[in-house]
Amino acid sequence: MSLLSVQGLSVAIRGDDGVLHELVSAVSFDIAAGETMGLVGESGCGKSLTAMSILDLLPKPQALRSAGTLSFKGESISSASPRRLREIRGKNIAVIFQDPMTALNPVQTVSQQISEVLAIHFPEQSKKCRADRVLSLLHEVGIPAPQERLSAYPHQLSGGMRQRVMIAMALACEPDLLIADEPTTALDVTIQAQIVRLLKGLQAKNGMAMLFITHDLALVSQVSDKIAVMYAGKIAEYGSAQQVFAKPHHPYTQSLLAALPGAHHPPKSPLLALEGQVPAIQDMPKGCRFVNRCPHAADICREEIPPQDITTDATVVACHRWKEIAQ
Amino acid sequence: MTGYFVRRFLLIIPTFIGITLLVFAITRVVPGGPIERLMTQIQLGGETGALHRSQGGGTLSDEQLDELKRYYGFDKPMLSSYAIWLKKVVQFDLGLSTRYQDPVWQIIKERFPISIFYGLTTLILTYVVCIPLGLAKGMYHGSALDSWSSAVVFLGYALPSYVIGIALISLFAGYWDIFPLGGFISDNYDDLSTFGKAADIFHHSVLPLIAYLAGSFAVTTLMMKNSLMDNLSSDYMRTATAKGLSRGESVRGHALRNSLIPVATSFGNNISLLLGGSFLIETIFNIDGIGLLGYEAIIERDYPIVMGILVISSLLYLIGNILSDICVALVDPRIRFGGRGAA
């Protein structure tokens, strides 16, 4: 049984005119215990909304989960009471956010913010016990001189250190699932590698599953067991990372991988870019949402929503013509 | 940080000299000073009984004029008479009122308790009402509570305080006769018990306090509300929710302190309200406070009193500014004054 199962999830945003716009549409995926699932897509494709809707952290009242069921360890969390949801948050499912500069409270010390999670979920713990745990967590996430950092405020730490504090906070209760929403986007590349290595190491040690959200294909290929490629609020392709990268079926995945600048390209060769733009939410095509940029678009693509086909490689692809393209 | 505040306190001295020198210079050049007033009075042959130097009717001789100039300190150049004045101020001597012939300090001191009472009550009530109200409005933005309180607060802000004062007096002291027409205490105040005294002051202060407070809620309440709403939508509040805190807990534990920062910044300005006192409200309610005293002193060109009030209010304002810096530093750990390279 999967740890987290997302079925037919849709997220809608209420516009200024009061009309609901579906930004995420019928997204389904499963995460097994201990597994890493990578959710990739370009900015605005709905990957963060998907992730935030799992714990109902959507910005309210504008955004809401309009359809779908979520079950965590067999328990439905899409219909869970707010109290039950609060128990799960931080304890069973933890989140680290994109921007460590703003995700920490500027007027509380590092130790206050980490021990707060422990205080919420383990109120019976003694203060001493909590303080020890905070210190060992800081040590675990590789913060140098953790004892001195306890009383530091976020503004006294670098971006990488803050993200480590966020990770320590997320790991405090040893969650079963960690949602990492672009955890390295705001950091520079060397720090990025350190953070990813740290997350991988901690994951192996604690046996937790991870939902890793990023727009960085190279990064996702390093960390993920499974991968879901999102385009304009829908999953275009979903399967084992190895299969998706080795043999992409969806034209969008194919063009994404082709656009990756690699070391084997000659210097100063022009960057490949996908032509066109994601259609605006008001004028989404009736059929496949990728139709206006797809080199293989046919009439059927304009008219009908592509079904989720299971390919010969056991990946799921949402394309009318994947078989023809493969040939 | 201590060094920074010591420096700030030392900076009071030049600022204070600047303020007082400027006003002192203005008192010298503005027409209608005490001598001119005296001369017109004598020329008109008006009430001269109180002025022992006059000889009734006619004009003043040159000797008399010189004597008067000496008496008011106008015989010396401006800077040297300013120096004399400043030297006296340093010795806590604010001089004699030209109108009452009483020490200025004595006159101001008599009005202090009244002004401090209204100032302090207004200050405390403003914060006691505005902070919780702003928080509630921010948390329940768009609710009936939010809309109605906005309407009330803005109505109070839009109406001039003297209009409210007159309306209150006409209604509650004239038409219904619930509260006294004015004054600070009743005539039989000294005969009352301690409780009776308190009740008497309260009875007299309800209407003026409403007039004072009506306009003072809007700014702080709205500042509190907007600041809270900014913080409610911030990333760290989402972090707090993701930790498993309920909405109320995350507001109390995280958003509250962050949203108090702008309110703490404005504290210094408000502390000068302690002595401000509106002369309009004091006139309407017949309260003998500093505001009325200052206004009358300016009209009557009683410069020693004008300067005396200026000394006290400018010092209060300068100290208030430092206090608000201290408040901000207490609330916001990112603010660390002084120290090399610190933000």
Side-chain angles (χ1 to χ4, degrees):
Chain A
M1 185 188 67
S2 59
L3 182 71
L4 176 77
S5 168
V6 176
Q7 295 304 324
L9 174 74
S10 296
V11 178
I13 284 203
R14 197 177 294 279
D16 294 333
D17 48 358
V19 178
L20 284 176
H21 297 293
E22 209 173 65
L23 290 190
V24 173
S25 171
V27 163
S28 304
F29 57 84
D30 289 273
I31 302 175
E35 181 183 69
T36 301
M37 151 109 177
L39 193 56
V40 275
E42 58 199 278
S43 303
C45 73
K47 45 191 197 305
S48 283
L49 282 178
T50 306
M52 289 307 121
S53 72
I54 295 171
L55 282 181
D56 200 17
L57 296 175
L58 294 167
K60 280 175 193 156
Q62 299 87 355
L64 60 119
R65 194 169 48 215
S66 50
T69 53
L70 301 161
S71 64
F72 178 72
K73 289 181 169 175
E75 177 190 351
S76 166
I77 52 172
S78 43
S79 56
S81 69
R83 173 191 285 271
R84 176 70 190 127
L85 206 54
R86 286 204 295 274
E87 282 171 12
I88 294 171
R89 285 178 188 147
K91 189 180 184 187
N92 301 105
I93 305 180
V95 193
I96 48 181
F97 297 99
Q98 180 169 350
D99 191 354
M101 298 311 200
T102 56
L104 292 167
N105 183 344
V107 303
Q108 283 192 359
T109 62
V110 164
S111 76
Q112 277 177 312
Q113 301 196 46
I114 301 177
S115 62
E116 187 180 32
V117 198
L118 296 166
I120 297 166
H121 297 291
F122 303 103
E124 70 287 348
Q125 257 183 359
S126 71
K127 277 200 171 145
K128 171 87 185 64
C129 186
R130 258 177 236 154
D132 290 344
R133 174 81 178 130
V134 171
L135 194 61
S136 75
L137 277 165
L138 287 183
H139 186 75
E140 220 175 315
V141 296
I143 287 182
Q147 187 74 51
E148 292 156 34
R149 297 279 175 263
L150 286 175
S151 55
Y153 288 96
H155 70 277
Q156 294 165 325
L157 304 174
S158 67
M161 284 301 142
R162 290 189 211 186
Q163 197 57 294
R164 285 172 198 265
V165 171
M166 279 301 294
I167 295 172
M169 212 152 80
L171 296 182
C173 299
E174 298 185 335
D176 303 299
L177 173 66
L178 178 68
I179 299 174
D181 184 11
E182 308 215 32
T184 60
T185 307
L187 306 173
D188 65 60
V189 183
T190 45
I191 309 294
Q192 199 170 353
Q194 289 174 17
I195 296 287
V196 170
R197 213 173 308 135
L198 173 69
L199 282 174
K200 287 299 283 180
L202 292 168
Q203 186 187 18
K205 197 168 134 206
N206 298 356
M208 81 189 161
M210 188 152 69
L211 176 61
F212 197 94
I213 295 142
T214 181
H215 59 256
D216 187 337
L217 279 177
L219 192 62
V220 87
S221 70
Q222 289 167 27
V223 295
S224 313
D225 302 308
K226 268 197 302 200
I227 181 172
V229 180
M230 275 186 87
Y231 181 80
K234 285 196 164 199
I235 288 188
E237 190 159 5
Y238 165 55
S240 87
Q242 221 179 345
Q243 290 296 345
V244 171
F245 276 104
K247 207 171 160 194
H249 288 287
H250 197 283
Y252 178 60
T253 323
Q254 289 168 353
S255 38
L256 272 187
L257 288 172
L260 267 186
H264 54 273
H265 289 300
K268 296 203 173 166
S269 60
L271 287 170
L272 274 171
L274 186 52
E275 292 299 319
Q277 284 190 330
V278 185
I281 190 74
Q282 302 85 2
D283 36 44
M284 271 300 167
K286 205 161 76 180
C288 175
R289 292 183 171 190
F290 188 56
V291 68
N292 62 331
R293 305 171 83 182
C294 183
H296 310 284
D299 286 344
I300 185 173
C301 304
R302 276 176 254 280
E303 295 304 319
E304 282 172 42
I305 296 171
Q308 307 243 317
D309 277 355
I310 297 176
T311 68
T312 40
D313 304 315
T315 61
V316 177
V317 62
C319 179
H320 289 295
R321 306 190 61 214
W322 68 270
K323 282 184 193 135
E324 295 150 58
I325 296 165
Q327 280 158 14
Chain B
M1 188 120 133
T2 324
Y4 172 81
F5 284 112
V6 168
R7 272 205 306 283
R8 283 290 302 269
F9 270 105
L10 289 177
L11 269 174
I12 286 184
I13 297 167
T15 321
F16 175 75
I17 291 177
I19 296 171
T20 49
L21 186 60
L22 185 70
V23 176
F24 195 86
I26 292 172
T27 64
R28 279 305 186 92
V29 295
V30 171
I35 296 179
E36 283 169 49
R37 289 180 69 83
L38 213 56
M39 282 167 70
T40 22
Q41 269 183 356
I42 290 165
Q43 270 164 358
L44 293 171
E47 309 163 55
T48 50
L51 304 161
H52 53 279
R53 276 176 197 80
S54 81
Q55 292 165 335
T59 51
L60 290 163
S61 65
D62 284 351
E63 296 90 69
Q64 283 173 317
L65 210 58
D66 286 344
E67 195 194 333
L68 274 177
K69 279 187 175 169
R70 206 167 29 255
Y71 176 73
Y72 287 117
F74 285 131
D75 54 335
K76 297 186 198 64
M78 204 232 2
L79 277 179
S80 54
S81 50
Y82 174 74
I84 294 169
W85 176 82
L86 191 64
K87 199 178 151 198
K88 279 178 156 180
V89 168
V90 173
Q91 294 159 348
F92 299 102
D93 177 8
L94 294 173
L96 289 180
S97 157
T98 54
R99 200 158 44 120
Y100 301 106
Q101 309 298 330
D102 284 330
V104 169
W105 179 239
Q106 188 66 41
I107 296 173
I108 293 179
K109 211 168 69 180
E110 278 166 18
R111 269 106 176 152
F112 250 157
I114 298 172
S115 285
I116 292 275
F117 171 79
Y118 281 112
L120 206 61
T121 320
T122 313
L123 193 69
I124 293 171
L125 280 180
T126 304
Y127 282 104
V128 164
V129 171
C130 290
I131 292 178
L133 182 64
L135 290 176
K137 282 165 74 70
M139 279 189 77
Y140 306 107
H141 172 67
S143 65
L145 168 92
D146 183 34
S147 323
W148 282 103
S149 62
S150 282
V152 171
V153 159
F154 278 117
L155 190 69
Y157 186 62
L159 287 173
S161 58
Y162 60 88
V163 171
I164 297 176
I166 292 170
L168 287 173
I169 285 212
S170 328
L171 283 178
F172 294 100
Y175 191 72
W176 282 308
D177 200 16
I178 305 170
F179 293 107
L181 269 168
F184 186 62
I185 45 175
S186 303
D187 295 336
N188 63 343
Y189 182 74
D190 291 331
D191 308 332
L192 295 167
S193 61
T194 317
F195 179 76
K197 282 178 178 172
D200 187 51
I201 291 183
F202 175 76
H203 200 214
H204 280 84
S205 60
V206 170
L207 295 185
L209 271 180
I210 295 174
Y212 268 124
L213 286 168
S216 66
F217 287 145
V219 176
T220 312
T221 304
L222 267 290
M223 193 194 289
M224 187 71 227
K225 181 194 170 184
N226 293 337
S227 168
L228 180 75
M229 286 187 57
D230 275 354
N231 281 291
L232 285 182
S233 60
S234 66
D235 281 0
Y236 69 79
M237 286 301 283
R238 188 176 56 176
T239 310
T241 312
K243 278 174 170 182
L245 285 175
S246 68
R247 184 170 149 87
E249 287 166 339
S250 55
V251 169
R252 277 194 299 280
H254 294 275
L256 180 59
R257 198 173 151 191
N258 280 290
S259 21
L260 280 175
I261 295 170
V263 177
T265 316
S266 68
F267 182 68
N269 288 328
N270 285 342
I271 206 152
S272 59
L273 291 177
L274 266 186
L275 266 192
S278 153
F279 80 87
L280 282 170
I281 295 182
E282 289 184 0
T283 312
I284 292 167
F285 290 99
N286 192 22
I287 301 163
D288 217 357
I290 302 269
L292 194 56
L293 178 70
Y295 171 71
E296 283 174 353
I298 291 172
I299 295 297
E300 301 283 332
R301 298 293 194 274
D302 192 346
Y303 291 138
I305 289 193
V306 173
M307 294 303 290
I309 291 177
L310 181 76
V311 166
I312 293 170
S313 60
S314 58
L315 280 180
L316 210 62
Y317 195 78
L318 292 170
I319 294 171
N321 265 326
I322 299 178
L323 278 182
S324 76
D325 276 2
I326 295 177
C327 283
V328 174
L330 286 177
V331 180
D332 190 346
R334 285 166 295 184
I335 307 289
R336 284 290 170 263
F337 295 107
R340 281 181 191 81

